[in-house]
Amino acid sequence: MRLFYLLLPLFLCTCGPADTTPAEPARDEAERSAIEERLITELSPSDDLAGRQRNAIINRAIDRNYDVYAAPEGYFYEVLQEGEYNPLDTGDIVTVHYTGTFLDGAEFDSSRRRGDPLRFRVGDLIPAWNLALQRVRPGARLRVLTPSSLAYGPDGLAAPNGDTLVPADTPLEFLIEDIRILEE
């Protein structure tokens, strides 16, 4: 019976979807409580898709102890590390490493896993990225939680072979880091 109690925590840790999101910095109870209270005020009526997705994002933030803020456009963001120099702007050519996950923590894409940063022009990606990247400077580390309307919307995202990477109307979480501006 003693062996059962020793193995039970190990068993419980291996159940459920794998959450590959990096561990968050420890916060004391007062700070966690203040973040939760602030986020609860952001909850919406959940009788439509937008309200349900917003509430799912807020619940993810509370569950993971993220200190996110609501952007007026509808996504949530947390600047995890400040960058340097001037903020990014539409048209800047940048490289970033990122990890994309569903709100349950399951990863759907990662530039680190591929070993190659993503290169793009700010303004050419999903709306949440285009907007959120203009809040930071090169070298920043940023978390973005976005409703589907600012991500892949009702079409979702398919791989070149037709496999579904992101189902339609799915809110997402991105960790964006190693942001660098390239000279043209």
Side-chain angles (χ1 to χ4, degrees):
M1 187 63 148
R2 207 168 123 189
L3 181 61
F4 172 77
Y5 289 112
L6 290 173
L7 294 177
L8 182 61
L10 179 62
F11 175 74
L12 292 175
C13 289
T14 60
C15 294
D19 190 339
T20 59
T21 308
E24 293 310 304
R27 300 186 201 281
D28 65 29
E29 190 57 40
E31 186 177 13
R32 290 177 61 190
S33 181
I35 292 168
E36 184 174 342
E37 284 181 33
R38 179 175 46 78
L39 289 173
I40 286 172
T41 66
E42 296 287 346
L43 289 170
S44 295
S46 60
D47 52 351
D48 65 354
L49 179 64
R52 287 191 303 275
Q53 287 188 7
R54 182 178 181 87
N55 292 346
I57 288 168
I58 292 166
N59 286 327
R60 169 72 174 173
I62 290 170
D63 289 347
R64 296 294 297 179
N65 198 26
Y66 295 160
D67 190 9
V68 296
Y69 289 87
E73 299 87 356
Y75 66 93
F76 287 75
Y77 70 96
E78 179 180 10
V79 178
L80 300 165
Q81 179 180 323
E82 296 290 335
E84 298 179 348
Y85 311 110
N86 295 323
L88 298 175
D89 198 8
T90 299
D92 286 340
I93 298 173
V94 299
T95 63
V96 305
H97 271 293
Y98 71 95
T99 301
T101 61
F102 300 109
L103 294 186
D104 68 0
E107 183 180 296
F108 67 87
D109 194 13
S110 171
S111 63
R112 292 223 187 266
R113 190 169 21 94
R114 286 191 307 277
D116 192 24
L118 178 65
R119 182 182 187 274
F120 60 95
R121 185 179 308 272
V122 176
D124 289 349
L125 294 178
I126 63 172
W129 275 52
N130 294 330
L131 295 163
L133 284 169
Q134 294 179 62
R135 293 183 172 276
V136 297
R137 302 169 192 282
R141 188 168 179 247
L142 176 69
R143 177 185 329 283
V144 176
L145 291 104
T146 182
S148 62
S149 62
L150 295 174
Y152 301 107
D155 296 330
L157 176 66
N161 66 2
D163 290 346
T164 299
L165 297 175
V166 176
D169 297 318
T170 303
L172 301 170
E173 177 179 337
F174 294 96
L175 180 63
I176 306 169
E177 51 193 348
D178 295 337
I179 301 168
R180 298 186 180 155
I181 291 182
L182 301 176
E183 298 298 323
E184 290 188 69

